[in-house]
Amino acid sequence: MSVDSFSPTNGPCRADLSIQTMLVGSGTVILKKHTEYAVGGLLGVVVIQGFGYGLMFDLNFFLRNLSVIGELFMVFSESMVSRKALFAGLPSISETDRKK
């Protein structure tokens, strides 16, 4: 992004895009559909807002964003664990099955 993209004339466009990304990303996380892309979009919004509004080096804002980023990583890791694909018709072996 160029310096001109953060000019006051592009502010409303940036805010609209950021709000749309947050709404769509949050909705897909809640519905548990395309969670990886939703987390990426939400993470991008958090980082772009920090740099775009010049608050990245404010301690309170930084700690709040760090908390949000941690929560996004938790959602991402949960989606990776639950994404284990089991193929239809093939048996799976779990730890309890091995002990028998």
Side-chain angles (χ1 to χ4, degrees), residues 9-31:
T9 57
N10 290 335
C13 179
R14 183 179 63 214
D16 290 344
L17 182 63
S18 139
I19 290 170
Q20 289 173 356
T21 304
M22 287 187 286
L23 287 174
V24 170
S26 300
T28 55
V29 166
I30 291 170
L31 295 174

Side-chain angles (χ1 to χ4, degrees), residues 31-95:
L31 295 174
K32 296 185 179 180
K33 306 251 184 204
H34 307 289
T35 308
E36 294 86 7
Y37 298 116
V39 168
L42 291 170
L43 185 63
V45 168
V46 169
V47 172
I48 287 173
Q49 281 183 345
F51 284 116
Y53 296 125
L55 297 172
M56 191 55 84
F57 300 108
D58 179 27
L59 182 64
N60 191 20
F61 185 80
F62 176 75
L63 292 176
R64 190 175 301 149
N65 274 353
L66 193 63
S67 172
V68 170
I69 290 170
E71 292 169 9
L72 287 173
F73 280 138
M74 287 175 52
V75 169
F76 181 73
S77 66
E78 179 186 346
S79 73
M80 296 302 286
V81 168
S82 66
R83 193 173 66 154
K84 291 181 182 177
L86 296 176
F87 298 105
L90 295 177
S92 63
I93 298 174
S94 67
E95 287 297 321

